[in-house]
Amino acid sequence: EVQLVESGGGLVQPGGSLRLSCAASGFTFSSYEMNWVRQAPGKGLEWVSYISSSGSTIYYADSVKGRFTISRDNAKNSLYLQMNSLRAEDTAVYYCARASGPPVIVDYWGQGTLVTVSS
Amino acid sequence: IQLTQSPSSLSASVGDRVTITCRASQGISSYLAWYQQKPGKAPKLLIYAASTLQSGVPSRFSGSGSGTDFTLTISSLQPEDFATYYCQQLNSYPPITFGQGTRLEIK
């Protein structure tokens, strides 16, 4: 059974840092592209970042570019999101999500971890 | 690429046929998916490639369209279908773009 389990969320002050983790199981993690998607309270879904299966190709949304860093450790079946210089508008539930294909589909999502940026 | 869903919210009754529309700002071929999200839960993939039903999804859900105009249809609403629905484009993946969502409520 495919499972994605996020951790690392919590309350952080503006300007602070947080590192999210996503533990994958039930599939060959190193073969899949991964994404982070977030959802602010009561709002819609916003794509945050992408990483290729090898980790060699990375993309970010403009809203987080220069502040967030995505990475993965295929030996540990884990995906990460290092978040620096956090702002109030980064407050959201953060989901890791697996991409499959072709055709590309985002088929499995974790349960999410809540990040709250507030003083 | 921007996605615009309509309506933003919808009230319907059990047994109703419901259609939600998603319009892309430019052509995306058939690279469109639909998700269902319930409060406090992760999105669940319903349909991909515009019209392909994800494994395990009831056949009352169907999708159609290509290019810029797409629809999600629920043929006969069930109580468990009341949720928020999102369209998602993967033509220019990455990035991923989502519609703003359609909230389906019980009338």
Side-chain angles (χ1 to χ4, degrees):
Chain A
E1 178 192 7
V2 172
Q3 283 200 319
L4 297 169
V5 179
E6 302 94 337
S7 60
L11 175 63
V12 60
Q13 292 187 339
S17 298
L18 214 53
R19 189 195 196 205
L20 305 184
S21 299
C22 172
S25 60
F27 65 102
T28 305
F29 180 70
S30 59
S31 297
Y32 289 84
E33 301 168 352
M34 298 295 295
N35 293 270
W36 288 99
V37 176
R38 68 183 180 183
Q39 187 170 37
K43 303 297 184 181
L45 300 165
E46 179 190 17
W47 172 80
V48 172
S49 186
Y50 157 95
I51 187 167
S52 63
S53 57
S54 66
S56 60
T57 302
I58 286 171
Y59 294 97
Y60 299 99
D62 288 344
S63 57
V64 306
K65 200 173 295 182
R67 301 187 298 122
F68 289 13
T69 302
I70 191 172
S71 62
R72 65 191 296 162
D73 185 336
N74 286 342
K76 294 184 177 180
N77 292 334
S78 293
L79 176 72
Y80 306 101
L81 187 68
Q82 177 67 42
M83 304 186 295
N84 298 331
S85 303
L86 283 162
R87 306 166 180 167
E89 54 265 35
D90 296 318
T91 294
V93 174
Y94 284 73
Y95 296 99
C96 64
R98 185 185 87 166
S100 301
V104 175
I105 61 173
V106 180
D107 54 357
Y108 284 94
W109 299 59
Q111 86 288 350
T113 187
L114 176 62
V115 173
T116 302
V117 184
S118 174
S119 55
Chain B
I1 298 173
Q2 295 185 338
L3 298 177
T4 303
Q5 288 183 233
S6 61
S8 295
S9 63
L10 176 60
S11 294
S13 302
V14 173
D16 284 354
R17 179 184 180 89
V18 166
T19 297
I20 299 170
T21 297
C22 179
R23 175 163 289 177
S25 59
Q26 62 189 74
I28 59 171
S29 185
S30 296
Y31 294 102
L32 189 102
W34 290 96
Y35 290 86
Q36 177 194 69
Q37 188 180 34
K38 296 182 178 180
K41 300 294 186 181
K44 173 187 174 184
L45 178 64
L46 299 175
I47 288 168
Y48 63 93
S51 60
T52 302
L53 202 63
Q54 173 71 340
S55 176
V57 174
S59 59
R60 62 181 180 272
F61 291 92
S62 64
S64 65
S66 66
T68 60
D69 294 308
F70 302 86
T71 59
L72 171 70
T73 300
I74 310 171
S75 60
S76 178
L77 273 174
Q78 298 302 300
E80 61 268 28
D81 299 338
F82 292 95
T84 300
Y85 292 84
Y86 294 93
C87 58
Q88 173 204 59
Q89 74 82 23
L90 291 155
N91 181 66
S92 59
Y93 170 79
I96 298 169
T97 309
F98 295 93
Q100 81 277 16
T102 295
R103 186 173 179 177
L104 179 53
E105 301 174 319
I106 300 173
K107 184 182 287 185

